[in-house]
């Protein structure tokens, strides 16, 4: 309950493919940390693997125990930008949250230009083009979203094979 282990495994595989190691990598998880199973699972395991994990987003959606950074100011220092779904249903009656999110936490082309050339963009699919991420950013060379999706198939096939294997 409250975790998403298969998503975390495919995220870790995607990061390992890109960087070869986890130790010392800087990752920022952007968005609704408080209610995200993906974020909570990734924070725990990524810290154990030696990654420097940060969060950013609307203050009310953060959790204690993780360093919160300014999204736009920290972008040039991160190796991984991991975006999460904006949960419209949680804030349907509060336009302030939606406007704040769109203005301050959306990954745009201008922000991608400030990223390290080796940094990657991740996002657990399905994604909301134009909400958390600009359409052209989804397709940029640093985006590994489609690699994540493919790795999800491989990770889940391996787990099913292991669970259903007679040995």
């Amino acid at each position: 309950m409250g975790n998403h282990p298969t998503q975390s495994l495919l995220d870790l595989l995607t990061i390992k493919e890109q960087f070869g190691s986890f130790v010392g990598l800087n990752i920022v998880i952007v968005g609704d940390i408080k209610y995200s199973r993906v974020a909570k699972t990734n924070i725990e395991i990524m810290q154990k693997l030696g990654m420097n994990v940060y969060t950013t987003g609307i203050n009310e959606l953060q959790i204690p125990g993780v360093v919160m950074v300014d999204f736009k100011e920290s972008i040039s220092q991160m190796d991984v930008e991991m975006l999460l779904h904006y949960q419209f249903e949680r804030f349907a009656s509060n336009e302030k949250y939606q406007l704040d999110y769109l203005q301050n936490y959306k990954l745009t082309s201008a922000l991608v230009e400030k990223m390290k050339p080796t940094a990657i963009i991740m996002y657990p699919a399905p994604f909301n083009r134009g909400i958390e991420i600009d359409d052209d950013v989804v397709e940029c060379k640093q985006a590994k979203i489609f690699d994540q999706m493919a790795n999800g198939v491989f990770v889940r096939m391996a787990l099913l094979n292991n669970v259903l294997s007679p040995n």
Side-chain angles (χ1 to χ4, degrees):
M1 299 265 319
N3 290 297
H4 201 324
T6 58
Q7 181 68 44
S8 186
L9 286 171
L10 72 92
D11 290 343
L12 292 170
L13 176 58
T14 305
I15 293 167
K16 179 84 171 180
E17 287 176 337
Q18 185 69 28
F19 297 102
S21 175
F22 302 110
V23 177
L25 291 177
N26 294 315
I27 180 170
V28 64
I29 304 175
V30 183
D32 183 351
I33 310 301
K34 185 176 181 178
Y35 297 105
S36 172
R37 296 178 306 134
V38 171
K40 290 174 185 166
T41 306
N42 275 337
I43 289 167
E44 182 178 345
I45 192 67
M46 288 174 175
Q47 288 175 333
K48 287 181 181 179
L49 291 170
M51 295 176 74
N52 304 310
V53 182
Y54 306 94
T55 63
T56 192
I58 298 169
N59 287 336
E60 293 86 352
L61 298 177
Q62 301 305 299
I63 59 173
V66 185
V67 177
M68 192 170 159
V69 296
D70 181 277
F71 177 56
K72 294 175 182 175
E73 289 182 21
S74 67
I75 202 159
S76 65
Q77 302 158 17
M78 297 298 149
D79 298 297
V80 179
E81 297 283 336
M82 180 177 285
L83 308 172
L84 298 174
H85 302 286
Y86 180 82
Q87 305 290 331
F88 287 101
E89 63 276 10
R90 290 195 210 291
F91 305 106
S93 64
N94 194 335
E95 268 186 46
K96 171 189 162 264
Y97 283 109
Q98 185 174 353
L99 291 173
D100 183 21
Y101 196 92
L102 293 174
Q103 290 174 356
N104 297 303
Y105 305 104
K106 178 181 182 180
L107 189 57
T108 63
S109 298
L111 289 172
V112 171
E113 289 179 20
K114 296 178 181 183
M115 291 171 55
K116 293 178 181 180
T118 57
I120 63 172
I121 301 162
M122 300 177 69
Y123 190 142
F127 45 86
N128 298 316
R129 291 176 186 256
I131 305 297
E132 299 94 353
I133 187 168
D134 274 348
D135 197 43
D136 57 332
V137 174
V138 172
E139 309 293 338
C140 80
K141 67 178 178 116
Q142 289 177 278
K144 301 300 174 192
I145 300 164
F146 296 107
D147 294 340
Q148 281 177 274
M149 292 165 64
N151 285 340
V153 174
F154 303 137
V155 163
R156 291 171 177 127
M157 285 173 58
L159 288 170
L160 284 170
N161 185 58
N162 188 279
V163 169
L164 298 175
S165 177
N167 297 335

